[in-house]
Amino acid sequence: MHLPAEDRTTSPYTGYTRAHWETAADALLAAVEPWATPDRALYHLPGDHVSHSGHLSDGLEGYARTLLLAAFRQDETVLGRYADGLRTGPGGVWPSVTDRSQPLVEAASIALALRLTRPLLWDRLDQSVRERTAAWLSDALTAEPWPCNWELFPVTVGGFLLEIGHEPQAARTAVDRGLARIENWYVGGGWYTDGDGRKYDYYNGWAMHLYPVLHAWLAGDERLLDHYGGRLEAHLADYAHLFGGDGAPLHQGRSLTYRFATAAPLWLGALTGRTPLPPGETRRLASGALKYFLDRGAVDGRGLLTLGWHGPDETVLQSYSGPASPYWAAKGFLGLLLPPDHEVWTTPEEPGPAGRADLVRPVEGPNWLLQSTRSDGVVRLHNHGSEDVRYDPHYTRFAYSTATRPLASPPDNTVMIGGDQLRSGIVPLGVGEDWAASRYTVASGARVTSLVVADGAVEARAHLVTGSAPGTEVRVTGWVPGENEQAELLPAHGLSDGHALTGVPGLTGVTGGSPTLFVAVARLTGDPDPGPLAELVAVEVRDDRELTIRWATGRLRRFRFTAPEDGPDGAWSVTPD
């Protein structure tokens, strides 16, 4: 991809300007065009990987997701090619939208694109084409979605059909129903869980906020925009902290192959005026994400986005990932809807949170603790509230970062009780200025109550094990560093060193009487000479119940593991003094 020369005056951190975004969008759209069918209704991108929805659905996905990119680009010539596809696609080429089917997802992208480009595309179509397209889309109004962010796909289709006056009653019902359903998953502070349980990930930004806020904005509904825009603004206050100094998003959650779709909520806040971020910081974070992936092989020699993270990488894929799935990265180009003279494009870049100062930040909704260091730009996420065992290890690890990736086997950042590594049924126990805690139960019935406390790049990790037989082995693993980082894991109480698992730092211990407390100190750092870890923190334990942490900075922190006298043995909590 041949991008313009970097502009280090306007964009001192990334060098990227609006011209870079436009050029990238144009290059991505040009690269997919040879893979369109002769009628341009399907885009069959190359590769052996087929999603569980099948080849035909994957071809529709290729059309819909690249159309969304063309919609953000607002290029009449390119949109004309997609108009050709509309003449045949809805007339029998495209698979029907049915209950919980992938075409429901793609119908939302098509509807949103048509709504965003109505004067350039929809209004220029023949009446018969508009009728066939509206009829195909209308099946999305009654198709049953999966109970997660999919509830917003009928909302998105309904918003467009309402605008053009097609089946208005059914469209209004679909919009109202979907928006009502996501209310059950809003936990406050700008965070949704993606369906039932505690599934927190980037779907908050590129789905749960994106669709309702865009719908409200496009409809000119100030009441709805205040409601959902206020949530977006609260979310962005946390979201800005999820990007490393090099632009990398946190490597956590599913659908990571969408890559710089992570920029979408940043642009959305600027587009709607619902953001706490200065315009220069918004562009720095968004451009940093785009640059991060383009610099690391996300686009292959043919100019196509690959199925992966940097380059091709099957470890970040799900069964629903098809050859065109990465093109939901199109959402990252939402900023092109802002005019060239908007302040988000003209204001000089400002550093993001990871580039300003060392920081430890609690995030109450997901029960996360974020830890970033300015010297290396690494952001670490300590997870004490998010899980989705279908996609482990991308949800249930104790920690994630912008510089590492979770491993399936051997597992990183886990606690294994008698060899059992599964962490499910997580009960959040709270977060504070520098700590987060949770508990869960393993298959044997043993219970683990966990605490992390952070300072600078250093962490103290404590795990209280109850309900296990004396002599049960407990194994604690830590970070596996990337190419430019170092990782350490040292025993502090109840653990011994020297038990690494094929490159994964590990410590072991055994349970005694119940309860038994195990404590380790850890560090992931990109600093070339970080200083001895053992000199930066000291840990004292009293009665396997009380924990005192002394940081080299002079801070002293005390925590107590407690269980109610009349409660079940597993109902342990952590209380800071």
Side-chain angles (χ1 to χ4, degrees), residues 190-202:
W191 287 89
Y192 295 86
T193 175
D194 187 18
D196 62 349
R198 300 189 57 83
K199 306 176 183 72
Y200 299 99
D201 58 21
Y202 288 114

Side-chain angles (χ1 to χ4, degrees), residues 199-465:
K199 306 176 183 72
Y200 299 99
D201 58 21
Y202 288 114
Y203 275 88
N204 264 270
W206 62 44
M208 306 303 288
H209 287 289
L210 181 72
Y211 294 115
V213 173
L214 270 182
H215 168 69
W217 180 70
L218 289 167
D221 189 325
E222 287 299 321
R223 182 189 64 82
L224 272 186
L225 189 55
D226 285 344
H227 181 67
Y228 293 112
R231 291 179 177 182
L232 171 66
E233 189 164 0
H235 182 69
L236 289 173
D238 289 330
Y239 192 77
H241 294 266
L242 304 186
F243 295 86
D246 59 358
L250 278 161
H251 198 100
Q252 180 268 345
R254 62 191 175 97
S255 298
L256 292 176
T257 195
Y258 303 158
R259 296 181 173 103
F260 41 83
T262 50
L266 300 166
W267 296 126
L268 183 64
L271 181 69
T272 60
R274 267 64 177 185
T275 180
L277 308 179
E281 182 178 339
T282 292
R283 192 174 82 256
R284 186 267 179 273
L285 293 173
S287 292
L290 178 64
K291 179 177 173 60
Y292 175 82
F293 288 109
L294 293 185
D295 285 351
R296 289 165 176 79
V299 175
D300 68 15
R302 297 164 296 192
L304 299 174
L305 287 171
T306 60
L307 279 161
W309 181 246
H310 293 160
D313 182 358
E314 291 195 357
T315 67
V316 300
L317 305 184
Q318 282 75 46
S319 64
Y320 55 76
S321 303
S325 291
Y327 284 85
W328 242 20
K331 294 180 178 184
F333 288 87
L334 180 70
L336 293 179
L337 295 178
L338 292 159
D341 61 354
H342 190 280
E343 61 180 351
V344 82
W345 290 118
T346 60
T347 302
E349 285 181 343
E350 300 177 29
R356 293 198 293 263
D358 289 3
L359 185 71
V360 179
R361 178 184 179 91
V363 183
E364 292 187 5
N367 211 66
W368 287 349
L369 187 70
L370 299 176
Q371 174 191 19
S372 61
T373 38
R374 181 177 181 274
S375 60
D376 55 10
V378 175
V379 178
R380 308 148 190 88
L381 183 163
H382 299 284
N383 172 32
H384 286 265
S386 179
E387 65 169 301
D388 189 339
V389 294
R390 297 172 300 171
Y391 306 111
D392 184 77
H394 286 93
Y395 283 89
T396 57
R397 294 290 183 260
F398 275 97
Y400 299 88
S401 84
T402 56
T404 62
R405 59 180 56 205
L407 301 181
S409 181
D412 65 296
N413 288 306
T414 58
V415 175
M416 289 173 274
I417 310 297
D420 187 346
Q421 71 179 61
L422 184 62
R423 184 178 179 221
S424 63
I426 298 173
V427 178
L429 298 177
V431 291
E433 60 175 332
D434 60 354
W435 64 274
S438 62
R439 66 172 179 262
Y440 65 100
T441 304
V442 300
S444 67
R447 292 160 295 277
V448 184
T449 304
S450 299
L451 166 74
V452 63
V453 190
D455 184 274
V458 184
E459 315 150 29
R461 302 181 181 185
H463 306 283
L464 184 78
V465 178

Side-chain angles (χ1 to χ4, degrees), residues 115 140-142 145 151-160 162 167-185 212 215-216 219 221 223-224 227-228:
R115 195 175 185 187
L141 302 178
T142 54
E151 298 282 5
L152 294 169
F153 301 142
V155 171
T156 303
V157 174
F160 171 64
L162 269 175
E167 297 190 21
Q169 183 173 350
R172 171 54 61 192
T173 298
V175 170
D176 293 344
R177 182 182 63 240
L179 294 180
R181 287 182 175 179
I182 69 168
E183 289 301 301
N184 296 326
W185 304 324
H215 168 69
D221 189 325
R223 182 189 64 82
L224 272 186
H227 181 67
Y228 293 112

Side-chain angles (χ1 to χ4, degrees), residues 28-188:
L28 290 171
L29 287 167
V32 300
E33 180 56 22
W35 305 100
T37 53
D39 61 3
R40 291 179 170 169
L42 302 167
Y43 281 68
H44 288 301
L45 301 187
D48 297 330
H49 196 94
V50 179
S51 78
H52 64 204
S53 297
H55 182 66
L56 180 60
S57 177
D58 289 351
L60 170 62
E61 184 175 69
Y63 175 92
R65 299 190 179 197
T66 57
L67 168 60
L68 189 60
L69 175 56
F72 292 140
R73 184 65 179 99
Q74 299 274 302
D75 185 308
E76 293 185 48
T77 301
V78 175
L79 288 170
R81 298 202 297 262
Y82 286 90
D84 292 342
L86 288 172
R87 293 185 178 97
T88 57
V93 174
W94 291 347
S96 299
V97 179
T98 58
D99 291 351
R100 298 183 174 182
S101 66
Q102 188 65 29
L104 175 58
V105 183
E106 309 318 321
S109 289
I110 293 170
L112 179 56
L114 293 173
R115 195 175 185 187
L116 289 168
T117 61
R118 186 173 173 184
L120 302 176
L121 181 51
W122 180 260
D123 291 348
R124 298 180 181 183
L125 295 172
D126 294 339
Q127 180 62 23
S128 60
V129 177
R130 290 200 294 263
E131 289 174 358
R132 287 196 300 271
T133 302
W136 183 83
L137 287 170
S138 64
D139 285 341
L141 302 178
T142 54
E144 184 64 27
W146 290 103
C148 60
N149 68 87
W150 279 47
E151 298 282 5
L152 294 169
F153 301 142
V155 171
T156 303
V157 174
F160 171 64
L161 295 182
L162 269 175
E163 186 175 291
I164 63 172
H166 183 84
E167 297 190 21
Q169 183 173 350
R172 171 54 61 192
T173 298
V175 170
D176 293 344
R177 182 182 63 240
L179 294 180
R181 287 182 175 179
I182 69 168
E183 289 301 301
N184 296 326
W185 304 324
Y186 185 67
V187 299

